[in-house]
């Protein structure tokens, strides 16, 4: 196989992450408009759209970049695969993470503009509380275990449906509504709507997500000791950066 150029994979990650935030924020705005007096229904509409949108985006972008759309997933992919020569390289990681964060911010702007909102309206939704941080630890750990368990057991091809289903359900079983993604968390701060998070709440959520990722790594290594060799299959099978022409 010939490796796809890094710039193309990074752009794919930016586009995929941006469109994911557009789905999250856009469906949140629509839900608040369509069901203004029922927060539970708003959450259901937001979760349903996010689960389906995420699955579709993984199918679209996965063959190009792996469809990480998430800095902690990319970081864990590098960490787990580094000894076996699989997964992302440090150079890949340095391109993926900024692309994901920039894409997330632009995705929020796009959603705002589609609904005739200000391009940037900083969220005022405070989410600074210990039980919400615990929810983020649980949500992120579960996501990491799911993704890397699928790769290690040769079932990465079902990741679009599995990851979408997990995030859709985690909207409901976690206290934080499962952000589980630092880039998406940052992007959601750009919109003062149903799906937003106040900028002041970002550090607590991101720290909790990093802790959750570490917990997830420990669990997946316990359950699948040889997971490092499957790092090229995260999130879905794609052209590994370590083969073919250099980016």
């Amino acid at each position: 196989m010939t490796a796809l150029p890094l710039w193309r994979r990074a752009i794919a990650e930016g586009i995929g992450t941006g469109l994911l935030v557009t789905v999250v924020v856009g469906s949140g705005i629509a839900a608040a408009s369509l069901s203004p007096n029922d927060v539970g229904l708003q959450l259901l509409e937001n979760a349903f759209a996010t689960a389906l949108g995420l699955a579709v985006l993984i199918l679209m972008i996965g063959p190009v970049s792996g469809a990480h759309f998430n800095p902690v997933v990319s970081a864990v992919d590098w960490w787990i695969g580094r000894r076996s020569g699989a997964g992302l390289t440090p150079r890949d990681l340095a391109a993926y993470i900024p692309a994901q964060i920039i894409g997330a911010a632009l995705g929020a702007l796009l959603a705002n503009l589609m609904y005739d909102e200000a391009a940037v309206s900083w969220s005022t939704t405070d989410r600074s509380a210990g039980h919400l941080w615990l929810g983020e630890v649980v949500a992120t750990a579960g996501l990491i275990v799911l993704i890397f368990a699928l790769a290690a057991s040769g079932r990465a091809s079902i990741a679009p449906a599995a990851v979408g289903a997990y995030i859709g359900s985690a909207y409901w079983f976690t206290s934080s509504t499962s952000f589980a993604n630092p880039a998406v968390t940052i992007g959601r701060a750009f919109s003062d709507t149903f799906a937003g998070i106040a900028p002041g709440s970002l550090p607590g959520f991101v720290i909790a997500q990093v802790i959750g990722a570490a917990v997830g790594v420990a669990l997946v290594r316990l359950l699948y000791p040889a997971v490092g060799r499957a790092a090229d299959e995260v999130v879905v099978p794609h052209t590994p950066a370590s083969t073919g022409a250099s980016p």
Side-chain angles (χ1 to χ4, degrees), residues 13 17-18 20-21 68-76 93 96-106 108 136-137 139-141 143-144 147 167 176 178-190 195 197-199 201-214:
E13 282 295 301
T17 311
L20 174 57
V21 173
H68 292 185
F69 308 157
N70 189 332
V72 295
V73 171
S74 297
V76 171
L93 197 62
Y96 269 42
I97 291 178
Q100 291 160 351
I101 294 172
I102 293 169
L106 294 177
E136 279 301 287
V137 171
T140 309
L143 179 64
I144 293 297
I147 289 171
I167 292 298
S176 63
S178 183
F179 287 46
N181 183 327
V184 169
T185 304
I186 292 169
R188 289 169 71 163
F190 284 76
I197 176 173
S201 298
L202 291 179
F205 262 55
V206 172
I207 291 170
Q209 290 157 359
V210 171
I211 293 171

Side-chain angles (χ1 to χ4, degrees), residues 8-24 53-54 56-58 60-62 65 67-70 99-104 107 181 183-184:
R8 183 173 293 144
R9 289 183 282 121
I11 289 174
E13 282 295 301
I15 291 172
T17 311
L19 290 176
L20 174 57
V21 173
T22 300
V23 170
V24 173
L54 178 55
V56 169
L57 288 170
I58 293 172
M60 289 170 55
I61 306 296
S65 66
H68 292 185
F69 308 157
N70 189 332
Q100 291 160 351
I101 294 172
I102 293 169
N181 183 327
V184 169

Side-chain angles (χ1 to χ4, degrees), residues 104-129:
L106 294 177
L109 269 61
L110 176 59
N112 288 337
L113 291 173
M114 282 199 299
Y115 283 92
D116 199 26
E117 304 280 345
V120 176
S121 55
W122 297 110
S123 177
T124 56
T125 303
D126 181 69
R127 300 180 188 265
S128 299

Side-chain angles (χ1 to χ4, degrees), residues 43-98:
L43 184 62
L44 178 61
E45 292 160 348
N46 193 206
F48 183 71
T50 300
L52 293 182
L54 178 55
V56 169
L57 288 170
I58 293 172
L59 287 170
M60 289 170 55
I61 306 296
V64 180
S65 66
H68 292 185
F69 308 157
N70 189 332
V72 295
V73 171
S74 297
V76 171
D77 188 41
W78 162 72
W79 179 261
I80 282 183
R82 71 194 192 286
R83 292 180 180 175
S84 57
L88 296 184
T89 66
R91 185 180 176 211
D92 294 334
L93 197 62
Y96 269 42
I97 291 178

Side-chain angles (χ1 to χ4, degrees), residues 133-143 166 173-174 208 212:
W133 299 333
L134 178 58
E136 279 301 287
V137 171
V138 171
T140 309
L143 179 64
Y166 175 79
F173 75 75
T174 64

